[in-house]
């Protein structure tokens, strides 16, 4: 038994109360970015996943004829044809490195945070899953967006897979102004067509938002990176994925709305999202585990995690 324990040590995640206590202990201390820790982490990310080159599908990294295997499917793959290739930008379409980035998760901790202005002050604002940005939220979550992720499942649930009228969709993405909509089009077979439909819908109406496609190999590499660090969820949450990409693409990263717990730091109950309290279908992701990894990055000065109200 001892030998077994040595190989697989019993590992217990701290419970919510313990996490809150740990975070509170740290709150009084001044936070400083640690340049060498930032550089060290960026090097780890470059070695495993090279976000600057592989974040999105580009003409450089995804030539015609390349075969992409869908996640968890042994029978289906997608071969890049001329038409799909023509939808890719030549290279990652950002001026790299990006300077200051805000990555905004959708956690209820953002509600009444007053963080909107601070979020918007960054050079590049990234958001998850087409979140609501109406005026009632802007003082807490801001209104600028340079990149927003969109999952094919949202397109199915909220916009009937764009099979009928597309106006509701085109109107709803106007709040993201001139941003990139980042879609994992080639991760699951069922997601490819809706993602391509999103692309053509926006291109056809000359919308200001542009679709770029997530590179499935990059998603997989980032997943492996965190698995090696002990994250056990079946799939990485969109938020952790985006923070990882940001750490590879940006010089300074501040994250907001990452708090997968039901109480805030003062013991007040909070909703799961800043806009509703619908819990995830299943604990597909290992959010508390992910949180601890992000918290560790905060403590080591790699990124800044905003949990309190903004000034
Ligand atoms: O669909 P998913 O659960 O991944 O995401 P979401 O609910 O739209 O939220 C976007 C991201 O914010 C998540 O992927 C998490 O990384 C983060 N989040 C969090 O840390 N705490 C919460 N209470 C809610 C979301």
């Amino acid at each position: 038994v001892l030998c077994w324990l040595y190989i697989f040590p019993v590992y217990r995640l701290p419970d919510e109360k313990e996490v809150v206590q740990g975070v509170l202990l740290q709150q009084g201390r001044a936070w400083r970015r640690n340049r060498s820790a930032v550089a060290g982490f960026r090097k780890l990310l470059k070695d495993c996943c090279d976000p600057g080159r592989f974040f999105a599908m580009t003409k450089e990294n995804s030539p015609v004829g390349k075969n992409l295997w869908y996640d968890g499917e042994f029978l289906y793959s997608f071969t890049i044809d001329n038409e799909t290739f023509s939808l890719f930008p030549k290279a990652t379409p950002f001026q790299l490195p990006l300077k200051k980035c805000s990555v905004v998760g959708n956690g209820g901790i953002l509600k009444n945070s007053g963080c909107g202005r601070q979020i918007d002050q960054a050079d590049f604002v990234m958001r998850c899953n087409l979140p609501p940005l109406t005026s009632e939220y802007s003082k807490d979550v801001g209104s600028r967006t340079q990149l927003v992720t969109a999952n094919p499942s949202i397109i199915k649930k909220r916009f009937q897979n764009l099979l009928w009228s597309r106006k509701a969709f085109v109107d709803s993405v106007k709040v993201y102004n001139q941003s990139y909509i980042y879609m994992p089009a080639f991760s699951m077979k069922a997601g490819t067509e809706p993602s391509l439909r999103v692309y053509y819908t926006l291109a056809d109406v000359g919308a200001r938002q542009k679709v770029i496609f997530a590179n499935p190999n990059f998603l997989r590499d980032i997943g492996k990176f965190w698995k090696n660090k002990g994250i056990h969820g079946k799939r990485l949450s969109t938020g952790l994925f985006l923070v990882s990409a940001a750490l590879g693409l940006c010089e300074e990263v501040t994250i907001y709305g990452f708090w997968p717990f039901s109480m805030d730091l003062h013991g007040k109950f909070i909703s799961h999202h800043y806009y509703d309290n619908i819990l995830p279908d299943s604990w597909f992701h290992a959010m508390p585990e992910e949180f601890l990894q992000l918290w560790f990055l905060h403590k080591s000065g790699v990124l800044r995690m905003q949990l309190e109200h903004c000034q």
Side-chain angles (χ1 to χ4, degrees), residues 55-56 147-150 180-184 212-215 218-219 241:
F55 177 66
L147 181 130
V148 59
T149 69
Y180 288 101
I181 299 188
Y182 182 73
M183 296 204 67
I212 49 173
F213 302 113
N215 189 323
F218 177 65
L219 301 184
F241 172 77

Side-chain angles (χ1 to χ4, degrees), residues 104-109 127-131 149 151 153-154 236-243 256-262 270-276 278-285 287 290-291 294:
V104 188
N106 289 335
I109 194 144
R127 302 184 191 270
C128 305
N129 298 330
L130 300 178
T149 69
N151 216 301
S153 65
I154 308 177
L236 220 55
S237 80
T238 306
L240 181 59
F241 172 77
L242 208 54
V243 174
Y256 302 83
F258 286 84
W259 183 255
F261 306 109
S262 56
I270 51 172
S271 52
H272 182 61
H273 292 131
Y274 69 79
Y275 47 86
D276 70 24
I278 299 177
L279 298 172
D281 288 347
S282 60
W283 285 99
F284 217 49
H285 319 302
M287 270 201 216
E290 292 189 359
F291 173 83
L294 292 173

